[in-house]
Amino acid sequence: MTRRLLIRATGTARPGQLAELGRALARSGARLLDINQSVTFGVMSLEALVGLDQDIDLERALAATGDSLGLEFQAIQVSAEDYQRWSVQASQPRLILTLLAPHLPAGILAEVGALTGEYGLTVELIHRLSGREPLDGGVPCDHRIQGSCVECWLRGEEVDLDALREKALALGAMHGVDIAIQEDSIWRRHRRLVCFDMDSTLIQAEVIDELARCHGVGDEVAAITERAMRGELDFQQSFRERMRMLKGLDEAVLAEIAERLPLMDGVERLMKHLKRLGYRTAILSGGFTYFARHLQERLGFDEIHANELVIVNGKVTGEVHEPIIDADRKVELLREIAAREGLAMEQTIAVGDGANDLKMLAAAGLGIAFRAKPLVRRQARQSISTLGLDAVLYLIGYRQVDLEEPEA
């Protein structure tokens, strides 16, 4: 009768340990049923589930090998009931919970543990995606994504994801931590299209407000913009109202504003890596093509879609060419680009901050509200508020070490 044993090995990691363990198991006639190994801070931890047909004291047989390798072994008998329970657990859906913050407070682990326990989820693995913090407390080098990120793999029966995310959002707000929860799937590392809103997402400004200030109607336009971003006003209605206030603005002002637009922190690192990793990138903006083209030239976006100002005799007329890029048009463009590129919608990512981005965020395979208004954060599936735009790479699943280019 076949016995099932769980073999545990722990000790200081060194080369050749796996080979020696494999030889020892082979000599005993064991069959490998499952295996998992990790090395953390130089300590190796290995667990192997084996089947054994012979009556051999495997723990004693491994002890000699352990002495030579600096490992401690333990063999635990696994009942048929335990084996069946583990098999069922392995087939349950997996969730990815990501913690992001400038610095992660230790107390957040207790909070996350309590939250996942409440929903019957087991924490299967915890690992760090961000780079190590300098021991001297210095500032990390410029090529690194700033801040800390830890990823947790959760396993359990299907849960109410909306309710779980709502509690995670409230918990994160209490501790100054972004908590993102997404379903694990084959698409996570196979997304290929990233579409961005522009104003307050790629740049730290609302261009229409900047234009209005130069035209002497800044306060009036900014008030309307704020209400529209919060979802209190219809975008098209508010957009036309603001545009009318810009009538007569000198075209030369556009170039002046374009040159001084502040980029969102992390956007240059993000675009560098997205291009290197083969993603197609697009701007889908309710702003203006004049400024989107400026960003395209500077950052290398593959395509842009925004509103085209009507300019006559060097003056802004207060009109734009149809159709206006609103929430519905953003979704259409997202779907059109994905279809043209031969991509499933699950392979798309959308990033935005305003209420007019919500439909786009909902339609994308991964929708991320970036430094968004409370309404948008609540309704979006994922959100980032504590780190720069390059933290998007963590939600896709990349580690800092994956992004570091070898020195020439």
Side-chain angles (χ1 to χ4, degrees):
M1 180 177 178
T2 299
R3 291 184 298 143
R4 298 181 184 88
L5 297 175
L6 177 64
I7 306 301
R8 286 179 174 160
T10 58
T12 302
R14 66 176 74 163
Q17 288 171 322
L18 183 61
E20 287 301 319
L21 173 61
R23 294 187 187 104
L25 290 174
R27 286 193 296 270
S28 70
R31 290 176 287 109
L32 187 62
L33 303 177
D34 201 354
I35 189 167
N36 181 69
Q37 177 179 315
S38 64
V39 176
T40 305
F41 303 119
V43 177
M44 188 270 279
S45 175
L46 180 144
E47 294 184 337
L49 184 64
V50 301
L52 201 62
D53 297 322
Q54 304 176 44
D55 187 15
I56 294 176
D57 187 343
L58 187 56
E59 189 168 16
R60 178 178 294 179
L62 291 171
T65 301
D67 289 341
S68 65
L69 294 175
L71 296 176
E72 293 185 4
F73 282 99
Q74 182 184 15
I76 303 170
Q77 190 82 26
V78 176
S79 67
E81 292 77 12
D82 284 339
Y83 184 72
Q84 177 63 24
R85 177 170 54 83
W86 292 350
S87 298
V88 170
Q89 288 176 343
S91 65
Q92 291 175 331
R94 175 187 285 162
L95 299 177
I96 304 295
L97 183 149
T98 310
L99 302 171
L100 308 103
H103 300 281
L104 290 172
I108 196 66
L109 290 178
E111 300 281 10
V112 167
L115 177 63
T116 55
E118 178 185 344
Y119 281 81
L121 298 168
T122 300
V123 180
E124 199 173 62
L125 175 70
I126 301 176
H127 61 163
R128 185 181 181 92
L129 299 187
S130 53
R132 304 291 178 192
E133 296 187 17
L135 291 176
D136 60 3
V139 178
C141 50
D142 288 342
H143 70 268
R144 283 178 41 174
I145 302 174
Q146 306 302 308
S148 297
C149 176
V150 168
E151 183 178 272
C152 306
W153 294 6
L154 311 177
R155 185 83 74 171
E157 296 183 2
E158 291 189 16
V159 299
D160 184 340
L161 266 182
D162 290 337
L164 178 58
R165 284 176 176 142
E166 185 176 350
K167 288 191 175 182
L169 183 66
L171 178 62
M174 289 173 56
H175 293 273
V177 176
D178 290 318
I179 305 178
I181 301 173
Q182 56 185 305
E183 296 173 280
D184 194 17
S185 73
I186 62 170
W187 301 112
R188 188 172 182 231
R189 291 289 291 268
H190 291 84
R191 295 188 169 110
R192 284 295 173 263
L193 170 65
V194 191
C195 295
F196 297 89
D197 176 44
M198 181 172 65
D199 295 32
S200 297
T201 298
L202 296 173
I203 56 175
Q204 299 182 55
E206 291 288 329
V207 169
I208 197 167
D209 293 350
E210 298 299 314
L211 295 174
R213 272 193 282 273
C214 292
H215 200 48
V217 290
D219 291 342
E220 298 93 319
V221 168
I224 299 173
T225 300
E226 181 69 16
R227 293 185 64 196
M229 294 296 290
R230 291 198 302 262
E232 297 174 4
L233 297 175
D234 173 75
F235 179 81
Q236 286 221 18
Q237 176 188 359
S238 67
F239 182 73
R240 293 180 189 280
E241 185 177 347
R242 287 175 289 171
M243 282 304 304
R244 284 193 293 271
M245 296 182 185
L246 298 181
K247 184 176 180 179
L249 178 67
D250 197 296
E251 183 180 9
V253 173
L254 304 183
E256 296 173 7
I257 290 177
E259 288 301 321
R260 67 171 188 259
L261 283 177
L263 293 178
M264 186 61 69
D265 49 304
V267 67
E268 291 175 292
R269 278 192 295 270
L270 174 61
M271 286 300 297
K272 171 188 173 183
H273 291 304
L274 289 178
K275 287 191 290 183
R276 185 168 68 88
L277 294 166
Y279 288 82
R280 186 167 187 83
T281 56
I283 296 176
L284 308 184
S285 173
F288 306 112
T289 54
Y290 186 96
F291 303 96
R293 288 194 194 100
H294 180 80
L295 291 180
Q296 183 179 33
E297 293 171 3
R298 183 171 178 181
L299 299 173
F301 287 94
D302 293 300
E303 55 188 281
I304 62 167
H305 302 272
N307 295 304
E308 185 76 41
L309 288 166
V310 177
I311 299 174
V312 177
N313 297 325
K315 300 290 184 181
V316 173
T317 66
E319 301 290 335
V320 295
H321 294 288
E322 299 286 344
I324 290 176
I325 308 295
D326 60 3
D328 291 326
R329 182 59 181 151
K330 286 188 177 188
V331 175
E332 290 175 11
L333 288 165
L334 175 65
R335 295 187 186 279
E336 288 173 9
I337 298 170
R340 186 216 312 147
E341 298 297 319
L343 301 173
M345 286 300 291
E346 290 86 351
Q347 292 178 276
T348 66
I349 301 170
V351 187
D353 72 298
N356 66 320
D357 296 312
L358 278 171
K359 291 183 178 180
M360 175 177 72
L361 301 185
L366 176 64
I368 304 170
F370 180 75
R371 297 188 183 176
K373 299 294 188 292
L375 168 71
V376 181
R377 286 202 305 273
R378 285 196 301 271
Q379 294 190 25
R381 284 167 292 169
Q382 317 299 341
S383 66
I384 297 174
S385 298
T386 64
L387 299 183
L389 199 59
D390 47 353
V392 166
L393 292 162
Y394 289 145
L395 293 192
I396 304 175
Y398 290 104
R399 300 171 300 160
Q400 178 63 46
V401 69
D402 298 327
L403 305 172
E404 293 175 356
E405 299 179 50
E407 296 182 5

